[in-house]
Amino acid sequence: ARGRACPLSVCARPACPLSGDITQKGYEKKRAKLLARYIPLIQDVHTEAVQAALAKYKERKMPMPSKRRSAVVHSSVETYTPPDTSSASEDECSLLRQGCITSTPLPGHSNVEPWISRVTQGSSTSSSASSTSSHPGAKPDASNSCSVSAAANMLADLMAHARLECVSAPPDVTTGLVGHSHHERPQVASVRGVPRGFNSGVLETANGVLCECYSLFIFQNSAAPQHPKKDLLYIDFQQPDPNQPKVEGTEMALLRGEPIGVVSNWPPSLLTALQRWGTTQPKAPCLTSLDTTGKSIYTLTYGKLWNRSVKLAYTLLNKLTSKSEPMLKPGDRVALVIPNSDPVMFMVAFYGCLLSEFIPVPIEVPLTRKDAGSQQIGFLLGSCGVSLALTTDACQKGLPKSQTGDVVTFKGWPRLTWFVIDGKHLMKPPKDWTPHIRDASNDAAYIEYKTSKEGSTMGVTVSQAALLAHCHALTQACGYSEAETLTNVLDFKRDAGLWHGVLTSVMNRMHVVSIPYALMKVNPLSWIQKVSSYKARVALVKSRDMHWSLLAQRDQRDVNLGSLRMLIVADGANPWSISSCDAFLNVFQCRGLRPEVISPCASSSEALTVSMRRPPDMGGVPPGKAVLSMNGLSYGVIRADTEEKLSVLTVQDVGQVLPGASICAVKVEGAPYLCKTDEVGELCVSSNSTGGAYYGLQGITKNVFEIIPLNSNGEPVSNGHFTRTGSLGFIGPERLVFVVGKVDGQMCVSGRRHSCDDVVATALAVEPMKFVYRGRIAVFSVNVLHDERIVLVAEQRPDSSEEDSFQWMSRVLQAIDSIHQVGVYCLALVPANTLPKAPLGGIHISETKQHFLEGSLHPCNVLMCPHTCVTNLPKPRQKQPDVGPASMIVGNLVAGKRIAQACGRDVSQLEDNDQARKFLYLADVLQWRAQTTPDHQLLVLLNAKGTVSSSASCLQLHKKAERVAAGLMEKARLSVGDHVALVYPPGIDLIATFFGCLYAGCIPITVRPPHPQNLTTTLPTVKMIVEVSKSSCILTTQAIMRLLKSKEAAAAVDIKTWPTILDTEDMPKKKISHVFRPPSPETLAYLDFSVSTTGILAGVKMSHSACSALCRSIKLQCELYPSRQIAICLDPYCGLGFALWCLCSVYSGHQSILVPPLELETNASLWLSAVSQYKVRVTFCSYSVMEMCTRGLGTQTGTLRSRGVNLSCVRTCMVVAEERPRIALSQSFSKLFKDLGLSTRAVSTTFGCRVNVAICLQGTAGPDPTTVYVDMRALRHDRVRLVERGSPHSLPLMESGKILPGVKVIIAHTETKGPLGDSHLGEVWVSSPHNANGYYTVYGEEALHADHFNARLSFGDTQTVWSRTGYLGFLRRTELTDASGERHDALYVVGSLDETLELRGMRYHPIDIETSVIRSHKNIAECAVFTWTNLLVVVLELDGPEHEALDLVALVTNVVLEEHYLIVGVVVIVDPGVIPINSRGEKQRMHLRDGFLADQLDPIYVAYNM
């Protein structure tokens, strides 16, 4: 049998004073001896079951998440210590865990010590339940470091435990194609004698040592129950398990209770009874209230209750007026805000409202404006139309006040008038005034609040007739008689505490002794002492109260429970009360407690009391007990468990149906069909004593209060309405009712139902007191990827170490997996006392769930286990081997679609007055301009202040170039064809030296100078480019020359191997005899070096003819003439940025306003101010510049306008990019600067790549760029599916400008290299006169495909030579017309092939995953993803406090699962600015990956998702 710990927790502290100087351990031993003679030897089978389950997972090593403060590698010393019988420290309130004691002793144990240590393991129950004590077990002694060899041994050990078939290739846990090794679950013959010192070695890495072990570990741990999968296109829905238990019983019959007895003088209403006792028995005690020391403060007699209630009723009816109109009318609702420590005032307020015909709505006292659930209470008050709140003087003083002294309006609450009901505020009624008392009718008597699983609060209306009938039924079921004494520990505002202790007690003139919660916290034995001292006949408790009292047995000497005839255990729908009841009986039987006295009952807010166990003298039958298979229960089937003792639930009956009621169980989902006899269903009650409605909510009222159960033929089984109780259960033998849980507490995971409370019990059985602060654990489910996922949140003790907590978490996962056969999706530990609290101190579950989903839980430890839980991912896509060209080409159609081919305007047909066309070489053009227009200003360079720092006319530029050429020949003694590295900051010197090299016949290579503050990372790149390009000489400025030879540089690179370094400021003013003329236009002009986002340094060769063709294409597209001005805010070192800075002005003769992007860091408005000042029509920038403007100037548009900045002159603003257009950034930029006159149509994106730096460019003519929406899921399968804007999974793609003149583009299949049809996704191939001539070198990937520059289609037009861009995209013919009058073909770039992630057989673009992640929380500033050993790694920049970092782990995992069907393997949280970004604003993901593997990121937290 297995008793269960009760679910929710309490932060109570039972008093446990120690006499003298006895130690905690000594006290425990002494207590054990005292206990031994009272308690037969019993085992806690639940803990045994959990320990047995854990023993099956050999000592598996878990990778620890690394925090910034964690050490390099921790390994635990394998230790085993004997069980420690000492309890936890005093402040942890060592409470006995329910389920520690069961009624059947197990044989074979002679020593009581191990049992005692288990008895002290506490947890406990219900809305305000519990705590726990230390689990006897070894605490791993972690050494501070471990050698690599030791770590390698661990890795070997780890692999040995994993039982992998083959470990040659890193396992791909993201594909689902690898055969997972399942944990075997052998049958455990006996669960006794399990070694308690279970220990896990901990393998932690914070610096990249042993990186591989994590993916191996995750691979092994992905062996949870795997369910068969169905091959659907997207999401895999679970197939039912063919071996699951099936319902086999017959249809159940309605269970009817005994008829209500006829009582001769039964009053016609509750108020009549109050009037009778108040006038005929005024001295009879009604209610005794106690203080926190247990002393009686006040006894309210029936006479006083009647008089004070009448006084309050008179005051409410006569004193509360506004504008001489009564403030309230009969039937209005009134809130009762009375503290839990003041039952007397509550009774007066409650009966005062009934007498004045107002409807009382008792609620909790709000302590702060942000109380958990306070907003929902506000919703309840608003929906009930409450405008008046009654409270006590003391309570009103404690409420938060505004500056005017009035009570503040709480968040979400309606405006209330607060009225204090203490005696001095009430009016004395005239002698002839008596309240009007009617017979009970169907009008509402009171409203009881109820909170649902989602946290919404509703009011259950109870009519006067139902109230009277309920009192009658309880009187009959409990055999209440006049003047009996009842002790009540429960909350008197609602539920059983209200029904027995405030209503039925008055009906029968009983005396209630009310024991406040605060007293129970101080002295858990107080209720037993009061039963003994008052000789109470009835006690009203929850199982947690019995549980607590077992801890304070030293004070029990004078206790006698012989007076009790009923001990009502009112746990509502808690199936675990059996362990508390049995344990309590075991201890207190010798104190006069009779076994038949214990009366568990079931109840709910909607149906009130459902059933109650009765003593034999009142027609009760012997109590029942059921040992049920938990696996069966998860399928809703009742199976008495016989074999597997690990996962059973032992429940006791909750008695017989209440008199006058009928009960049945109906199916939980769908129409209310009756259940079979061996099926668990929702209990429903039909009687005249249930609640009537949810106040003001007609829709859900009908589905709960007015259901009609149906038999299997669909016919109603009864004429009357039934009310759903919200409890799950069944009718057992002897017509007894059994409850196994709450409907609200169920989590439906992969078609099986698990109880939250059940999972809490299992978690608490794993060394509870070592980690969990006072047993405070919350379990709930969240919906991720079309299924519920289990989340467990626990408060950890302040002294828990990182290793201990993580080890506890891993053991909890294993225990829940073994006992419930279900995986936990997320396990989070939060600091002690930080979870939102419910009114009586328990955890507010719905609020906790809300915090989790919003990312405001702030955990200090998180373990996500998506690999084991998420079993409904779509099947991985399997690519067909050896795909051949399958398409048929007919004319220009492929597979029935127009071939995806497009071209810019034909350059040869374009007649223009282009003088520069006469010259084949750019050097000739510059000399010609220097002669014909010597003073024409070509270049203007701006500084951070916006003033011109330098400028150059055609002649000045020519002369500077001549000086450089002379220097190269004389000083550097270079010959024609030598390579020269130009290391300059952005400026005119760079352009002059470039042309100087052309004049001298040398080959220039522009190189970004190293950053003086960051030499270690920037200088090696400079060195590498210089070496790889085989530069014979470096031209630079004096400052950079010093830097290259400095000591700091020597620390980063070998400075002795630099080639000749020349300072151009020191060049002689000499002319050269002649300017070099290349032998042919195909001669190499310059090398363009760039580091791709995948970390590959590639240099491409640009010939003289390609340079001229490029400049001509740009000139035609942008209509550039000498009279034009363009503004350029780009880096001038490679690609189109270089061409625009250095080449285009010289070729076209227009003036270029040069704005170095670095200057924007000091003056964000520099570029836009320059555009406005020079009235520029065409401007170029990069995405990083656009982002700087958007972020830096977001709030300053008003200031800029006042300074005269006007952007209405801009016709086209082009973002130079080698990526998919960033629509969101472009739109926010356009929207932001619309106020400054920027046209929404102006912003567009260019597209270029290594093989051709300018393929598309919007230019000044032609239609605006179009946007289409594609299905992101189809994109992963390399398909384009156009969808409507706003449809699910839609991804907007913007056209990358217009194809340049002379450029031809075709879309080819990535593998077959065949042409594709219109709107088909493939690789973009390009053919144009300005294609690069080939790679000069590719550093890091020498074998990079030679066919990048001379590819041919496999069929169709096999003659044309194309260059492969390495980018995926598609062409789509639009309805628009281009300049030539043809229909316009739009090119959409989806992303770089090199960057794509191949996961689960599908192709993912990192930007799509990153966009989802950044959207998931406001604190995520930037994000980058990459793969590592087939795991998806997500790196986030946290823009917020470090203690909020761990909130992001679950949110990121959720969003990537939901939107991309991928499991995140590692989440790395770093500081802002850690993700490297290049000058074009592109993320350097491979640099980031290298930094991650080399542990150079200094992460705040690294989470390894199991």
Side-chain angles (χ1 to χ4, degrees):
R2 172 171 159 222
R4 275 305 186 111
C6 275
L8 302 172
S9 83
V10 126
C11 50
R13 180 177 296 156
C16 195
L18 301 180
S19 54
D21 59 352
I22 185 170
T23 63
Q24 181 72 25
K25 199 163 186 173
Y27 164 65
E28 290 296 340
K29 286 188 172 172
K30 190 172 175 186
R31 190 173 77 169
K33 284 179 185 164
L34 291 169
L35 278 177
R37 57 202 176 89
Y38 295 123
I39 309 175
L41 183 62
I42 301 155
Q43 288 288 20
D44 168 15
V45 181
H46 175 56
T47 305
E48 290 278 331
V50 170
Q51 297 306 323
L54 289 174
K56 291 191 292 185
Y57 290 77
K58 304 283 192 288
E59 305 210 348
R60 299 258 300 291
K61 295 172 175 60
M62 307 286 282
M64 278 207 28
S66 61
K67 285 191 183 172
R68 186 164 274 168
R69 63 173 180 272
S70 57
V72 180
V73 177
H74 290 292
S75 82
S76 72
V77 176
E78 300 298 321
T79 55
Y80 174 74
T81 43
D84 172 11
T85 52
S86 71
S87 170
S89 61
E90 224 16 63
D91 67 301
E92 283 307 315
C93 63
S94 50
L95 294 188
L96 173 62
R97 193 177 68 68
Q98 295 197 154
C100 298
I101 313 172
T102 56
S103 51
T104 14
L106 294 173
H109 280 265
S110 54
N111 174 15
V112 77
E113 287 289 304
W115 175 74
I116 288 297
S117 68
R118 266 173 233 125
V119 162
T120 58
Q121 264 174 235
S123 86
S124 112
T125 103
S126 95
S127 70
S128 53
S130 129
S131 91
T132 43
S133 118
S134 83
H135 170 72
K139 184 173 177 179
D141 179 17
S143 61
N144 289 334
S145 63
C146 127
S147 67
V148 174
S149 63
N153 291 340
M154 279 185 177
L155 185 53
D157 194 22
L158 184 69
M159 290 174 65
H161 283 305
R163 304 193 297 283
L164 300 183
E165 296 302 317
C166 164
V167 289
S168 56
D172 180 359
V173 299
T174 53
T175 61
L177 298 173
V178 176
H180 291 286
S181 56
H182 288 256
H183 299 315
E184 292 164 17
R185 289 205 177 83
Q187 295 291 317
V188 177
S190 162
V191 292
R192 300 188 292 269
V194 175
R196 307 300 293 266
F198 180 91
N199 212 344
S200 279
V202 177
L203 178 59
E204 179 193 347
T205 170
N207 71 340
V209 180
L210 299 177
C211 294
E212 295 298 318
C213 74
Y214 294 111
S215 55
L216 281 170
F217 171 78
I218 292 167
F219 171 58
Q220 299 163 40
N221 281 274
S222 52
Q226 299 286 334
H227 301 284
K229 292 184 176 179
K230 185 178 175 186
D231 192 1
L232 290 177
L233 175 59
Y234 294 131
I235 280 299
D236 202 20
F237 290 99
Q238 301 294 323
Q239 288 296 305
D241 180 354
N243 303 320
Q244 73 181 53
K246 304 277 194 305
V247 176
E248 295 161 1
T250 55
E251 189 170 277
M252 70 170 295
L254 281 185
L255 179 61
R256 299 182 196 278
E258 67 200 68
I260 283 270
V262 178
V263 182
S264 55
N265 63 342
W266 190 255
S269 75
L270 178 60
L271 295 177
T272 312
L274 174 64
Q275 186 179 27
R276 179 197 296 173
W277 305 130
T279 49
T280 63
Q281 303 273 354
K283 297 268 172 70
C286 170
L287 176 76
T288 298
S289 71
L290 309 174
D291 64 10
T292 49
T293 62
K295 290 198 181 77
S296 161
I297 332 173
Y298 185 78
T299 296
L300 181 72
T301 61
Y302 277 92
K304 282 180 187 167
L305 174 61
W306 168 248
N307 289 333
R308 288 174 67 178
S309 303
V310 167
K311 211 173 177 185
L312 176 59
Y314 180 77
T315 307
L316 290 176
L317 290 168
N318 295 284
K319 185 177 178 183
L320 291 175
T321 57
S322 61
K323 297 176 186 164
S324 71
E325 285 285 310
M327 193 171 148
L328 300 169
K329 302 186 294 297
D332 281 355
R333 280 70 54 208
V334 174
L336 305 191
V337 187
I338 315 280
N340 286 325
S341 55
D342 202 344
V344 171
M345 290 305 261
F346 178 79
M347 276 192 98
V348 171
F350 193 88
Y351 282 105
C353 285
L354 294 186
L355 285 169
S356 50
E357 298 188 352
F358 299 143
I359 301 170
V361 185
I363 58 169
E364 306 302 334
V365 177
L367 299 176
T368 67
R369 299 189 73 158
K370 290 183 183 165
D371 264 11
S374 167
Q375 209 167 337
Q376 280 77 21
I377 291 284
F379 170 74
L380 167 74
L381 298 178
S383 64
C384 292
V386 173
S387 58
L388 176 70
L390 304 185
T391 187
T392 63
D393 200 28
C395 179
Q396 201 264 356
K397 283 177 180 156
L399 290 171
K401 308 285 189 305
S402 63
Q403 288 165 336
T404 56
D406 300 325
V407 176
V408 297
T409 300
F410 296 96
K411 190 176 176 189
W413 284 39
R415 193 174 290 283
L416 295 180
T417 303
W418 293 82
F419 182 67
V420 176
I421 57 167
D422 293 61
K424 60 186 177 192
H425 298 279
L426 302 184
M427 294 164 70
K428 195 169 182 185
K431 286 199 172 146
D432 57 347
W433 189 85
T434 51
H436 180 54
I437 296 176
R438 293 194 177 93
D439 290 356
S441 67
N442 283 326
D443 294 340
Y446 69 94
I447 292 172
E448 181 175 317
Y449 81 84
K450 178 240 170 155
T451 306
S452 74
K453 182 180 182 178
E454 288 75 37
S456 54
T457 301
M458 294 157 310
V460 177
T461 308
V462 179
S463 70
Q464 297 166 9
L467 186 158
L468 187 67
H470 190 219
C471 290
H472 196 163
L474 287 180
T475 302
Q476 185 170 330
C478 302
Y480 286 142
S481 56
E482 283 181 35
E484 275 193 313
T485 304
L486 176 149
T487 55
N488 176 25
V489 187
L490 307 188
D491 180 3
F492 48 75
K493 293 194 296 300
R494 54 196 299 268
D495 217 81
L498 174 68
W499 309 330
H500 291 264
V502 175
L503 307 177
T504 311
S505 60
V506 168
M507 195 58 103
N508 293 289
R509 194 174 65 78
M510 293 164 67
H511 177 201
V512 176
V513 180
S514 186
I515 294 155
Y517 171 66
L519 171 57
M520 286 294 291
K521 281 168 74 171
V522 177
N523 176 12
L525 204 64
S526 52
W527 72 270
I528 296 179
Q529 292 163 346
K530 296 305 163 199
V531 166
S532 186
S533 59
Y534 282 94
K535 306 256 180 305
R537 303 281 288 140
V538 181
L540 188 60
V541 298
K542 288 199 173 190
S543 50
R544 60 138 202 263
D545 306 315
M546 303 161 80
H547 172 81
W548 284 4
S549 58
L550 293 172
L551 298 173
Q553 298 175 28
R554 61 188 176 283
D555 299 331
Q556 292 169 8
R557 283 185 290 280
D558 311 323
V559 166
N560 185 346
L561 301 181
S563 62
L564 277 182
R565 62 176 189 80
M566 272 190 103
L567 175 56
I568 300 172
V569 186
D571 271 21
N574 171 20
W576 302 278
S577 53
I578 181 167
S579 44
S580 293
C581 294
D582 290 350
F584 190 78
L585 184 62
N586 275 315
V587 173
F588 286 98
Q589 210 160 352
C590 58
R591 301 274 179 214
L593 181 70
R594 303 189 304 281
E596 65 273 15
V597 162
I598 294 178
S599 303
C601 69
S603 61
S604 82
S605 301
E606 290 84 358
L608 310 190
T609 309
V610 176
S611 64
M612 179 175 281
R613 191 190 291 173
R614 314 202 201 150
D617 56 345
M618 292 167 57
V621 295
K625 185 172 96 171
V627 181
L628 305 175
S629 153
M630 211 173 276
N631 183 48
L633 284 176
S634 73
Y635 289 106
V637 177
I638 301 158
R639 290 285 178 270
D641 195 89
T642 48
E643 299 163 12
E644 167 75 294
K645 293 293 176 219
L646 276 189
S647 50
V648 295
L649 180 66
T650 305
V651 291
Q652 65 181 347
D653 70 281
V654 285
Q656 295 135 299
V657 191
L658 229 53
S662 301
I663 194 169
C664 66
V666 301
K667 296 194 185 296
V668 181
E669 286 173 346
Y673 284 100
L674 284 181
C675 288
K676 303 285 190 280
T677 50
D678 63 342
E679 187 177 5
V680 173
E682 183 175 7
L683 299 176
C684 297
V685 174
S686 173
S687 81
N688 56 1
S689 62
T690 64
Y694 291 128
Y695 189 92
L697 304 168
Q698 280 80 22
I700 51 175
T701 290
K702 199 165 180 60
N703 192 31
V704 173
F705 294 92
E706 299 171 19
I707 69 155
I708 299 175
L710 310 169
N711 61 21
S712 51
N713 302 326
E715 298 156 351
V717 295
S718 154
N719 297 330
H721 284 153
F722 278 69
T723 299
R724 292 181 183 270
T725 63
S727 300
L728 292 172
F730 58 94
I731 311 299
E734 301 283 346
R735 298 163 60 83
L736 291 173
V737 178
F738 286 84
V739 169
V740 295
K742 298 190 284 286
V743 174
D744 268 2
Q746 297 292 301
M747 303 177 289
C748 185
V749 182
S750 303
R752 292 172 61 216
R753 292 179 177 278
H754 303 274
S755 160
C756 296
D757 301 337
D758 222 10
V759 176
V760 170
T762 300
L764 277 173
V766 181
E767 308 181 321
M769 278 312 248
K770 195 179 269 189
F771 305 102
V772 183
Y773 178 70
R774 295 181 175 160
R776 289 172 62 80
I777 294 182
V779 169
F780 49 86
S781 65
V782 294
N783 212 297
V784 181
L785 198 67
H786 312 292
D787 200 0
E788 287 185 38
R789 314 288 177 195
I790 297 175
V791 178
L792 189 151
V793 183
E795 288 188 1
Q796 72 172 22
R797 284 179 40 173
D799 54 353
S800 302
S801 76
E802 203 91 342
E803 289 89 330
D804 287 353
S805 309
F806 190 73
Q807 213 169 352
W808 178 79
M809 289 158 88
S810 61
R811 299 190 67 199
V812 166
L813 295 178
Q814 293 163 357
I816 292 171
D817 183 42
S818 270
I819 294 210
H820 304 276
Q821 281 91 46
V822 70
V824 174
Y825 175 68
C826 176
L827 207 159
L829 293 178
V830 297
N833 256 330
T834 55
L835 288 179
K837 289 192 173 77
L840 290 180
I843 297 172
H844 199 293
I845 302 286
S846 60
E847 201 89 352
T848 302
K849 176 175 174 176
Q850 199 56 36
H851 285 325
F852 174 80
L853 291 172
E854 287 169 357
S856 55
L857 197 60
H858 311 330
C860 47
N861 260 313
V862 166
L863 189 56
M864 299 287 298
C865 310
H867 291 92
T868 50
C869 296
V870 181
T871 54
N872 64 333
L873 281 173
K875 274 201 169 172
R877 174 181 173 216
Q878 291 175 318
K879 292 189 175 171
Q880 301 307 313
D882 304 324
V883 180
S887 301
M888 282 290 292
I889 284 207
V890 182
N892 67 342
L893 296 181
V894 57
K897 286 230 175 192
R898 193 185 67 80
I899 287 181
Q901 187 169 353
C903 52
R905 289 177 288 169
D906 187 350
V907 187
S908 58
Q909 303 298 315
L910 289 169
E911 284 305 320
D912 63 350
N913 53 356
D914 189 353
Q915 296 298 309
R917 280 192 69 189
K918 297 186 296 219
F919 305 103
L920 285 172
Y921 308 108
L922 276 177
D924 296 352
V925 178
L926 179 55
Q927 291 172 77
W928 169 68
R929 291 207 184 278
Q931 286 162 7
T932 54
T933 54
D935 301 326
H936 174 60
Q937 287 278 324
L938 271 186
L939 307 162
V940 175
L941 180 74
L942 301 185
N943 60 18
K945 291 175 184 162
T947 54
V948 176
S949 61
S950 63
S951 63
S953 66
C954 300
L955 185 62
Q956 287 167 330
L957 188 63
H958 167 67
K959 287 196 166 166
K960 280 188 178 180
E962 281 194 320
R963 277 177 62 192
V964 171
L968 285 172
M969 288 170 174
E970 291 179 18
K971 284 185 87 170
R973 307 209 176 279
L974 295 186
S975 46
V976 169
D978 281 351
H979 295 189
V980 179
L982 313 181
V983 186
Y984 286 92
I988 291 172
D989 283 353
L990 177 72
I991 304 167
T993 49
F994 175 83
F995 280 98
C997 289
L998 295 189
Y999 280 10
C1002 297
I1003 312 300
I1005 297 108
T1006 47
V1007 184
R1008 178 191 308 278
H1011 197 290
Q1013 273 78 51
N1014 195 4
L1015 278 181
T1016 45
T1017 51
T1018 56
L1019 191 59
T1021 310
V1022 175
K1023 185 88 163 96
M1024 193 187 295
I1025 295 176
V1026 169
E1027 285 176 357
V1028 169
S1029 64
K1030 301 189 174 66
S1031 295
S1032 315
C1033 169
I1034 296 174
L1035 293 185
T1036 186
T1037 63
Q1038 201 168 1
I1040 293 172
M1041 183 169 161
R1042 277 199 217 100
L1043 191 63
L1044 295 180
K1045 294 181 174 179
S1046 66
K1047 278 185 190 168
E1048 292 81 5
V1053 298
D1054 181 4
I1055 58 172
K1056 290 176 186 164
T1057 56
W1058 287 120
T1060 314
I1061 302 179
L1062 290 184
D1063 163 18
T1064 45
E1065 293 162 17
D1066 192 28
M1067 291 281 184
K1069 288 192 176 176
K1070 280 193 177 178
K1071 278 191 174 182
I1072 46 169
S1073 53
H1074 72 285
V1075 171
F1076 170 76
R1077 265 191 84 76
S1080 89
E1082 298 312 313
T1083 313
L1084 183 61
Y1086 71 95
L1087 293 179
D1088 185 332
F1089 268 89
S1090 141
V1091 179
S1092 75
T1093 51
T1094 50
I1096 294 167
L1097 174 67
V1100 293
K1101 298 184 282 195
M1102 288 293 284
S1103 67
H1104 285 279
S1105 64
C1107 290
S1108 303
L1110 172 64
C1111 292
R1112 177 162 161 72
S1113 273
I1114 295 172
K1115 171 184 162 42
L1116 292 168
Q1117 194 83 333
C1118 299
E1119 299 176 1
L1120 300 176
Y1121 309 108
S1123 56
R1124 284 279 160 85
Q1125 284 178 317
I1126 70 168
I1128 302 167
C1129 189
L1130 290 167
D1131 272 325
Y1133 300 108
C1134 61
L1136 186 54
F1138 165 78
L1140 289 165
W1141 264 73
C1142 298
L1143 311 180
C1144 290
S1145 272
V1146 170
Y1147 184 89
S1148 305
H1150 60 268
Q1151 188 185 58
S1152 292
I1153 317 296
L1154 306 174
V1155 182
L1158 261 178
E1159 306 288 10
L1160 266 68
E1161 289 179 13
T1162 44
N1163 176 7
S1165 65
L1166 174 63
W1167 167 52
L1168 295 179
S1169 302
V1171 166
S1172 168
Q1173 181 189 341
Y1174 289 94
K1175 296 196 170 35
V1176 169
R1177 291 175 66 182
V1178 176
T1179 181
F1180 293 87
C1181 71
S1182 64
Y1183 277 125
S1184 49
V1185 165
M1186 196 170 258
E1187 205 156 12
M1188 267 193 267
C1189 291
T1190 313
R1191 284 189 181 169
L1193 304 174
T1195 54
Q1196 297 177 31
T1197 48
T1199 320
L1200 291 174
R1201 199 186 308 118
S1202 64
R1203 285 191 354 221
V1205 175
N1206 183 351
L1207 302 179
S1208 57
C1209 53
V1210 179
R1211 274 182 65 183
T1212 179
C1213 166
M1214 285 170 274
V1215 187
V1216 172
E1218 298 187 7
E1219 58 178 308
R1220 178 200 302 174
R1222 300 189 202 172
I1223 297 185
L1225 179 57
S1226 305
Q1227 285 175 345
S1228 53
F1229 178 82
S1230 300
K1231 208 175 283 180
L1232 188 60
F1233 298 110
K1234 187 180 168 186
D1235 293 352
L1236 299 179
L1238 181 69
S1239 161
T1240 48
R1241 302 167 53 186
V1243 180
S1244 63
T1245 304
T1246 73
F1247 172 59
C1249 61
R1250 290 285 68 207
V1251 300
N1252 186 323
V1253 297
I1255 298 169
C1256 298
L1257 200 143
Q1258 181 61 28
T1260 49
D1264 290 338
T1266 53
T1267 300
V1268 293
Y1269 291 83
V1270 298
D1271 187 327
M1272 208 188 300
R1273 295 169 302 182
L1275 216 52
R1276 292 169 205 154
H1277 293 265
D1278 288 342
R1279 291 199 296 273
V1280 174
R1281 185 167 152 248
L1282 297 177
V1283 292
E1284 292 295 317
R1285 178 182 181 176
S1287 58
H1289 298 278
S1290 65
L1291 172 73
L1293 292 176
M1294 190 165 82
E1295 179 188 349
S1296 293
K1298 303 289 168 282
I1299 296 171
L1300 278 167
V1303 176
K1304 282 203 301 190
V1305 168
I1306 195 163
I1307 306 295
H1309 194 286
T1310 49
E1311 285 163 18
T1312 67
K1313 299 188 176 50
L1316 289 172
D1318 191 82
S1319 297
H1320 277 57
L1321 189 71
E1323 187 180 5
V1324 179
W1325 287 14
V1326 60
S1327 168
S1328 98
H1330 64 257
N1331 274 11
N1333 295 34
Y1335 285 121
Y1336 174 73
T1337 181
V1338 178
Y1339 188 78
E1341 201 166 312
E1342 279 76 0
L1344 199 67
H1345 330 291
D1347 68 345
H1348 266 201
F1349 289 92
N1350 49 15
R1352 293 174 196 267
L1353 291 172
S1354 56
F1355 59 99
D1357 168 14
T1358 54
Q1359 298 311 304
T1360 310
V1361 176
W1362 301 89
S1363 291
R1364 296 175 56 183
T1365 63
Y1367 282 79
L1368 284 172
F1370 60 94
L1371 279 165
R1372 179 170 171 268
R1373 178 148 283 186
T1374 65
E1375 297 303 314
L1376 305 170
T1377 309
D1378 61 23
S1380 61
E1382 298 289 318
R1383 276 178 66 191
H1384 169 62
D1385 291 308
L1387 174 65
Y1388 298 93
V1389 175
V1390 174
S1392 161
L1393 261 168
D1394 288 345
E1395 289 245 293
T1396 55
L1397 312 173
E1398 286 275 343
L1399 292 165
R1400 299 180 54 77
M1402 290 175 281
R1403 201 194 299 274
Y1404 286 87
H1405 294 271
I1407 186 68
D1408 297 330
I1409 300 173
E1410 290 158 2
T1411 304
S1412 300
V1413 168
I1414 289 170
R1415 251 197 345 253
S1416 67
H1417 197 275
K1418 65 180 189 311
N1419 282 1
I1420 301 175
E1422 188 53 276
C1423 160
V1425 302
F1426 51 83
T1427 51
W1428 162 59
T1429 64
N1430 296 326
L1431 292 177
L1432 179 65
V1433 180
V1434 178
V1435 181
L1436 317 169
E1437 288 183 358
L1438 172 73
D1439 183 15
E1442 281 193 13
H1443 72 271
E1444 295 179 12
L1446 275 74
D1447 284 314
L1448 308 178
V1449 178
L1451 293 183
V1452 166
T1453 308
N1454 292 357
V1455 78
V1456 175
L1457 255 176
E1458 279 278 355
E1459 297 186 10
H1460 303 280
Y1461 309 152
L1462 286 178
I1463 292 175
V1464 176
V1466 186
V1467 180
V1468 185
I1469 300 168
V1470 295
D1471 295 311
V1474 168
I1475 295 172
I1477 292 191
N1478 68 13
S1479 61
R1480 291 188 297 274
E1482 296 163 341
K1483 295 169 198 166
Q1484 303 289 84
R1485 296 182 183 89
M1486 289 307 114
H1487 281 316
L1488 183 68
R1489 183 180 189 274
D1490 296 342
F1492 167 69
L1493 294 179
D1495 192 44
Q1496 293 164 349
L1497 302 184
D1498 184 25
I1500 296 167
Y1501 192 82
V1502 182
Y1504 299 93
N1505 285 352
M1506 300 305 153

